[in-house]
Amino acid sequence: MIPLSPAQRALREAGVENALQEGRWMERLAPREGARRGLPPGALLEEWIRRRCSGEPFQYVVGSVEFYQVELEVGPGTLIPRPETELLVERALEHLERGPAQAWALDLCTGSGAILLSLAHARPRLQGVGVDLSPDALAWARRNCALLHLEERCQFLQGDLFSPLPPSRRFSLITANPPYVSPEEYQALPREIRDYEPRMALEAGEEGRELEEKIIRQALPWLEPGGALLLEMGETQGDALREALLANGYREVKILRDLTGRERFAQGLRPPSP
Protein backbone atom coordinates (compact mmCIF):
# COMPACT_ATOMS: atom_id res chain seq x y z
CA MET A 1 0.00 0.00 0.00
CA ILE A 2 1.31 3.43 -0.97
CA PRO A 3 1.69 5.56 2.18
CA LEU A 4 -0.45 8.67 2.49
CA SER A 5 1.16 12.07 2.13
CA PRO A 6 0.71 14.57 4.99
CA ALA A 7 -2.00 16.44 3.05
CA GLN A 8 -3.88 13.25 2.20
CA ARG A 9 -3.69 12.05 5.79
CA ALA A 10 -4.99 15.35 7.18
CA LEU A 11 -7.89 15.43 4.74
CA ARG A 12 -8.79 11.81 5.40
CA GLU A 13 -8.76 12.36 9.16
CA ALA A 14 -11.10 15.34 8.63
CA GLY A 15 -13.54 13.09 6.77
CA VAL A 16 -13.00 14.55 3.30
CA GLU A 17 -14.53 12.06 0.89
CA ASN A 18 -12.03 12.52 -1.95
CA ALA A 19 -9.01 12.98 0.33
CA LEU A 20 -6.44 11.10 -1.76
CA GLN A 21 -7.01 12.95 -5.02
CA GLU A 22 -7.56 16.36 -3.43
CA GLY A 23 -4.42 16.04 -1.28
CA ARG A 24 -2.42 15.11 -4.36
CA TRP A 25 -3.73 18.12 -6.28
CA MET A 26 -3.06 20.50 -3.39
CA GLU A 27 0.53 19.31 -3.06
CA ARG A 28 1.01 19.75 -6.80
CA LEU A 29 -0.56 23.21 -7.09
CA ALA A 30 0.35 24.92 -3.82
CA PRO A 31 4.14 25.31 -4.34
CA ARG A 32 3.72 27.05 -7.68
CA GLU A 33 0.88 29.28 -6.48
CA GLY A 34 2.63 30.04 -3.21
CA ALA A 35 5.79 31.10 -5.05
CA ARG A 36 3.72 33.33 -7.33
CA ARG A 37 2.29 35.06 -4.26
CA GLY A 38 5.70 35.35 -2.60
CA LEU A 39 4.74 33.14 0.35
CA PRO A 40 7.18 31.03 2.41
CA PRO A 41 7.50 27.39 1.26
CA GLY A 42 4.66 25.27 2.60
CA ALA A 43 2.59 28.21 3.87
CA LEU A 44 -0.09 28.05 1.19
CA LEU A 45 -0.42 24.27 1.42
CA GLU A 46 -0.97 24.56 5.18
CA GLU A 47 -3.64 27.20 4.59
CA TRP A 48 -5.36 25.10 1.94
CA ILE A 49 -5.40 22.02 4.17
CA ARG A 50 -6.85 24.03 7.06
CA ARG A 51 -9.60 25.53 4.88
CA ARG A 52 -10.51 22.20 3.28
CA CYS A 53 -10.59 20.40 6.63
CA SER A 54 -13.03 23.05 7.89
CA GLY A 55 -15.44 22.10 5.11
CA GLU A 56 -14.77 24.77 2.48
CA PRO A 57 -15.23 23.34 -1.04
CA PHE A 58 -12.04 22.17 -2.73
CA GLN A 59 -12.67 24.42 -5.75
CA TYR A 60 -12.93 27.51 -3.55
CA VAL A 61 -9.77 26.53 -1.70
CA VAL A 62 -7.59 26.18 -4.79
CA GLY A 63 -9.52 28.94 -6.58
CA SER A 64 -10.32 27.21 -9.86
CA VAL A 65 -12.20 24.40 -11.56
CA GLU A 66 -11.80 22.66 -14.90
CA PHE A 67 -15.02 22.79 -16.90
CA TYR A 68 -15.46 21.39 -20.38
CA GLN A 69 -12.36 22.70 -22.22
CA VAL A 70 -11.56 25.72 -20.06
CA GLU A 71 -10.24 26.48 -16.58
CA LEU A 72 -12.38 28.88 -14.55
CA GLU A 73 -11.65 30.80 -11.39
CA VAL A 74 -14.30 30.41 -8.69
CA GLY A 75 -14.81 31.48 -5.11
CA PRO A 76 -17.38 32.75 -2.62
CA GLY A 77 -20.37 34.30 -4.35
CA THR A 78 -20.65 31.97 -7.31
CA LEU A 79 -21.91 28.43 -7.83
CA ILE A 80 -19.23 25.82 -8.54
CA PRO A 81 -19.81 24.42 -12.07
CA ARG A 82 -20.70 20.71 -11.97
CA PRO A 83 -19.63 18.01 -14.43
CA GLU A 84 -23.24 17.31 -15.47
CA THR A 85 -23.53 20.85 -16.81
CA GLU A 86 -20.83 19.98 -19.34
CA LEU A 87 -23.49 17.85 -21.05
CA LEU A 88 -25.62 20.96 -21.48
CA VAL A 89 -22.66 22.58 -23.26
CA GLU A 90 -22.37 19.54 -25.53
CA ARG A 91 -26.09 19.70 -26.41
CA ALA A 92 -25.79 23.43 -27.06
CA LEU A 93 -22.82 22.89 -29.39
CA GLU A 94 -24.77 20.23 -31.29
CA HIS A 95 -27.53 22.77 -31.90
CA LEU A 96 -25.08 25.48 -32.96
CA GLU A 97 -23.43 23.10 -35.44
CA ARG A 98 -26.69 23.03 -37.39
CA GLY A 99 -26.73 26.82 -37.81
CA PRO A 100 -24.44 29.55 -39.14
CA ALA A 101 -20.93 29.84 -37.73
CA GLN A 102 -21.63 33.42 -36.64
CA ALA A 103 -24.37 33.26 -34.05
CA TRP A 104 -25.51 34.87 -30.79
CA ALA A 105 -26.01 32.96 -27.52
CA LEU A 106 -27.56 34.06 -24.25
CA ASP A 107 -26.76 32.42 -20.91
CA LEU A 108 -29.14 33.25 -18.06
CA CYS A 109 -28.18 32.78 -14.40
CA THR A 110 -24.64 32.72 -15.77
CA GLY A 111 -22.76 32.50 -12.45
CA SER A 112 -19.05 32.12 -13.17
CA GLY A 113 -19.76 32.29 -16.91
CA ALA A 114 -19.00 28.59 -17.34
CA ILE A 115 -21.57 27.77 -20.03
CA LEU A 116 -21.19 30.87 -22.19
CA LEU A 117 -17.40 30.98 -22.01
CA SER A 118 -17.12 27.28 -22.86
CA LEU A 119 -19.36 27.79 -25.89
CA ALA A 120 -17.40 30.83 -27.04
CA HIS A 121 -14.10 29.02 -26.56
CA ALA A 122 -15.33 26.12 -28.70
CA ARG A 123 -16.97 28.31 -31.37
CA PRO A 124 -14.53 31.07 -32.46
CA ARG A 125 -17.22 33.14 -34.20
CA LEU A 126 -19.87 32.89 -31.51
CA GLN A 127 -20.88 36.06 -29.68
CA GLY A 128 -22.74 35.97 -26.39
CA VAL A 129 -24.29 37.64 -23.40
CA GLY A 130 -24.39 36.32 -19.84
CA VAL A 131 -26.93 37.68 -17.35
CA ASP A 132 -27.08 37.28 -13.58
CA LEU A 133 -28.69 39.07 -10.65
CA SER A 134 -25.64 38.69 -8.43
CA PRO A 135 -22.83 41.25 -8.71
CA ASP A 136 -20.53 38.82 -6.91
CA ALA A 137 -21.13 36.10 -9.51
CA LEU A 138 -20.70 38.58 -12.36
CA ALA A 139 -17.34 39.64 -10.98
CA TRP A 140 -16.14 36.05 -11.37
CA ALA A 141 -17.69 35.77 -14.85
CA ARG A 142 -15.98 38.95 -16.06
CA ARG A 143 -12.68 37.85 -14.57
CA ASN A 144 -12.92 34.49 -16.33
CA CYS A 145 -13.86 36.23 -19.57
CA ALA A 146 -10.71 38.35 -19.36
CA LEU A 147 -8.50 35.39 -18.46
CA LEU A 148 -9.79 33.51 -21.52
CA HIS A 149 -9.37 36.61 -23.73
CA LEU A 150 -13.03 36.55 -24.81
CA GLU A 151 -13.96 40.16 -23.96
CA GLU A 152 -14.50 41.08 -27.63
CA ARG A 153 -17.13 38.39 -28.08
CA CYS A 154 -18.75 38.01 -24.64
CA GLN A 155 -20.30 40.51 -22.25
CA PHE A 156 -21.94 40.09 -18.86
CA LEU A 157 -24.91 42.12 -17.65
CA GLN A 158 -26.59 42.42 -14.27
CA GLY A 159 -30.34 42.05 -14.12
CA ASP A 160 -33.39 39.83 -13.88
CA LEU A 161 -33.32 37.40 -16.81
CA PHE A 162 -34.10 39.31 -20.03
CA SER A 163 -34.50 42.76 -18.46
CA PRO A 164 -31.00 44.16 -19.25
CA LEU A 165 -31.00 43.09 -22.91
CA PRO A 166 -31.44 45.41 -25.92
CA PRO A 167 -35.02 44.94 -27.18
CA SER A 168 -33.90 44.19 -30.73
CA ARG A 169 -31.44 41.40 -29.88
CA ARG A 170 -32.35 37.85 -30.91
CA PHE A 171 -30.46 34.63 -30.15
CA SER A 172 -29.79 31.33 -31.88
CA LEU A 173 -29.44 29.74 -28.45
CA ILE A 174 -30.56 30.48 -24.90
CA THR A 175 -29.08 28.40 -22.09
CA ALA A 176 -29.63 28.47 -18.35
CA ASN A 177 -28.60 26.55 -15.28
CA PRO A 178 -31.05 28.33 -12.97
CA PRO A 179 -31.77 27.64 -9.32
CA TYR A 180 -34.02 24.55 -9.27
CA VAL A 181 -33.94 23.27 -5.69
CA SER A 182 -37.00 23.50 -3.43
CA PRO A 183 -36.61 24.71 0.19
CA GLU A 184 -37.05 21.14 1.41
CA GLU A 185 -34.40 19.84 -0.99
CA TYR A 186 -32.08 22.69 -0.03
CA GLN A 187 -32.11 21.64 3.63
CA ALA A 188 -31.09 18.12 2.57
CA LEU A 189 -28.02 19.31 0.61
CA PRO A 190 -24.58 18.59 2.09
CA ARG A 191 -23.36 21.23 4.53
CA GLU A 192 -20.38 21.87 2.26
CA ILE A 193 -22.85 23.28 -0.27
CA ARG A 194 -25.25 25.01 2.14
CA ASP A 195 -22.51 26.69 4.17
CA TYR A 196 -20.50 28.07 1.25
CA GLU A 197 -22.25 28.26 -2.12
CA PRO A 198 -24.79 31.06 -2.66
CA ARG A 199 -28.33 30.05 -1.74
CA MET A 200 -29.81 32.28 -4.44
CA ALA A 201 -28.01 30.16 -7.07
CA LEU A 202 -29.61 26.97 -5.76
CA GLU A 203 -33.09 27.49 -4.35
CA ALA A 204 -36.10 28.57 -6.43
CA GLY A 205 -39.53 28.72 -4.82
CA GLU A 206 -41.69 26.10 -3.16
CA GLU A 207 -41.62 23.65 -6.09
CA GLY A 208 -38.08 24.42 -7.20
CA ARG A 209 -39.10 25.09 -10.79
CA GLU A 210 -40.57 28.59 -10.58
CA LEU A 211 -37.62 30.27 -12.25
CA GLU A 212 -37.38 27.63 -14.97
CA GLU A 213 -41.05 28.12 -15.83
CA LYS A 214 -40.57 31.90 -15.86
CA ILE A 215 -37.70 31.50 -18.33
CA ILE A 216 -39.84 29.24 -20.52
CA ARG A 217 -42.67 31.82 -20.56
CA GLN A 218 -40.38 34.71 -21.46
CA ALA A 219 -37.74 33.18 -23.75
CA LEU A 220 -39.61 32.43 -26.98
CA PRO A 221 -39.71 36.01 -28.39
CA TRP A 222 -35.96 36.35 -27.79
CA LEU A 223 -35.15 33.33 -29.94
CA GLU A 224 -34.60 33.43 -33.68
CA PRO A 225 -36.89 31.08 -35.65
CA GLY A 226 -35.45 27.61 -35.09
CA GLY A 227 -33.48 28.82 -32.07
CA ALA A 228 -33.17 26.56 -29.02
CA LEU A 229 -33.83 26.96 -25.31
CA LEU A 230 -31.78 24.58 -23.15
CA LEU A 231 -32.37 24.37 -19.39
CA GLU A 232 -30.73 22.34 -16.67
CA MET A 233 -33.35 21.02 -14.25
CA GLY A 234 -33.97 18.79 -11.25
CA GLU A 235 -34.43 15.10 -11.94
CA THR A 236 -38.13 15.12 -10.91
CA GLN A 237 -39.13 18.15 -12.99
CA GLY A 238 -39.18 16.67 -16.50
CA ASP A 239 -42.92 16.16 -16.89
CA ALA A 240 -43.79 19.64 -15.62
CA LEU A 241 -41.23 21.38 -17.82
CA ARG A 242 -42.22 19.35 -20.88
CA GLU A 243 -45.81 20.52 -20.39
CA ALA A 244 -44.68 24.12 -19.87
CA LEU A 245 -42.60 24.10 -23.06
CA LEU A 246 -45.45 22.67 -25.13
CA ALA A 247 -48.01 25.02 -23.60
CA ASN A 248 -45.85 28.03 -24.48
CA GLY A 249 -45.46 27.14 -28.15
CA TYR A 250 -42.08 25.39 -28.32
CA ARG A 251 -41.50 22.58 -30.80
CA GLU A 252 -39.26 19.49 -30.77
CA VAL A 253 -39.51 19.42 -26.99
CA LYS A 254 -37.14 16.93 -25.37
CA ILE A 255 -36.20 15.90 -21.84
CA LEU A 256 -32.59 14.70 -21.88
CA ARG A 257 -30.71 12.54 -19.38
CA ASP A 258 -27.30 12.94 -17.77
CA LEU A 259 -24.61 10.25 -17.61
CA THR A 260 -26.25 8.65 -14.57
CA GLY A 261 -29.52 8.22 -16.45
CA ARG A 262 -31.35 10.96 -14.54
CA GLU A 263 -33.54 13.43 -16.39
CA ARG A 264 -31.44 16.60 -16.27
CA PHE A 265 -32.12 18.93 -19.24
CA ALA A 266 -35.16 20.37 -21.00
CA GLN A 267 -34.99 21.53 -24.62
CA GLY A 268 -37.42 23.30 -26.91
CA LEU A 269 -37.16 25.14 -30.23
CA ARG A 270 -38.91 28.23 -31.50
CA PRO A 271 -40.95 27.20 -34.55
CA PRO A 272 -39.49 28.29 -37.91
CA SER A 273 -41.09 31.18 -39.71
CA PRO A 274 -44.09 30.26 -41.89
Side-chain angles (χ1 to χ4, degrees), residues 150 175 253 255 269:
L150 292 171
T175 58
V253 172
I255 302 299
L269 306 186

Side-chain angles (χ1 to χ4, degrees), residues 10-26:
L11 296 179
R12 173 173 279 187
E13 290 174 355
V16 174
E17 184 176 346
N18 201 19
L20 300 186
Q21 184 174 356
E22 290 186 11
R24 188 179 304 117
W25 273 104
M26 285 184 181

Side-chain angles (χ1 to χ4, degrees), residues 76-267:
T78 189
L79 190 73
I80 298 168
R82 266 59 174 185
E84 57 264 28
T85 307
E86 294 180 322
L87 294 177
L88 188 150
V89 173
E90 290 183 1
R91 297 291 185 182
L93 289 171
E94 288 173 7
H95 172 75
L96 291 170
E97 286 293 334
R98 296 192 288 270
Q102 191 164 3
W104 275 87
L106 169 65
D107 184 41
L108 301 172
C109 310
T110 195
S112 65
I115 294 172
L116 178 61
L117 296 174
S118 295
L119 293 172
H121 182 265
R123 297 275 296 187
R125 297 181 66 187
L126 181 74
Q127 298 184 75
V129 181
V131 176
D132 205 293
L133 268 177
S134 167
D136 293 333
L138 287 171
W140 289 107
R142 289 169 179 145
R143 178 173 177 81
N144 286 320
C145 186
L147 290 170
L148 294 167
H149 308 291
L150 292 171
E151 303 102 310
E152 293 186 2
R153 292 193 286 122
C154 297
Q155 60 177 317
F156 292 91
L157 305 176
Q158 184 178 3
D160 182 15
L161 300 181
F162 303 92
S163 63
L165 299 173
S168 60
R169 174 60 60 202
R170 296 295 178 268
F171 299 93
S172 300
L173 172 72
I174 298 175
T175 58
N177 180 14
Y180 56 75
V181 174
S182 69
E184 182 179 356
E185 291 170 330
Y186 181 82
Q187 294 303 321
L189 292 174
R191 288 192 61 187
E192 181 175 310
I193 296 176
R194 287 187 286 115
D195 289 353
Y196 290 94
E197 297 189 67
R199 186 167 186 164
M200 68 178 295
L202 293 160
E203 186 184 305
E206 289 303 314
E207 300 298 325
R209 61 176 187 271
E210 281 80 350
L211 192 55
E212 294 163 316
E213 292 178 345
K214 183 178 180 181
I215 292 171
I216 288 170
R217 290 193 302 270
Q218 295 183 6
L220 201 64
W222 294 93
L223 285 167
E224 297 173 350
L229 173 65
L230 266 169
L231 296 172
E232 185 166 329
M233 66 178 197
E235 61 186 88
T236 64
Q237 298 170 351
D239 290 343
L241 295 191
R242 180 188 289 108
E243 291 178 9
L245 286 162
L246 292 171
N248 282 275
Y250 295 83
R251 298 293 181 265
E252 298 187 37
V253 172
K254 298 177 182 178
I255 302 299
L256 307 167
R257 297 180 183 271
D258 62 21
L259 293 177
T260 68
R262 295 180 175 89
E263 293 186 341
R264 184 61 63 194
F265 312 103
Q267 174 182 303

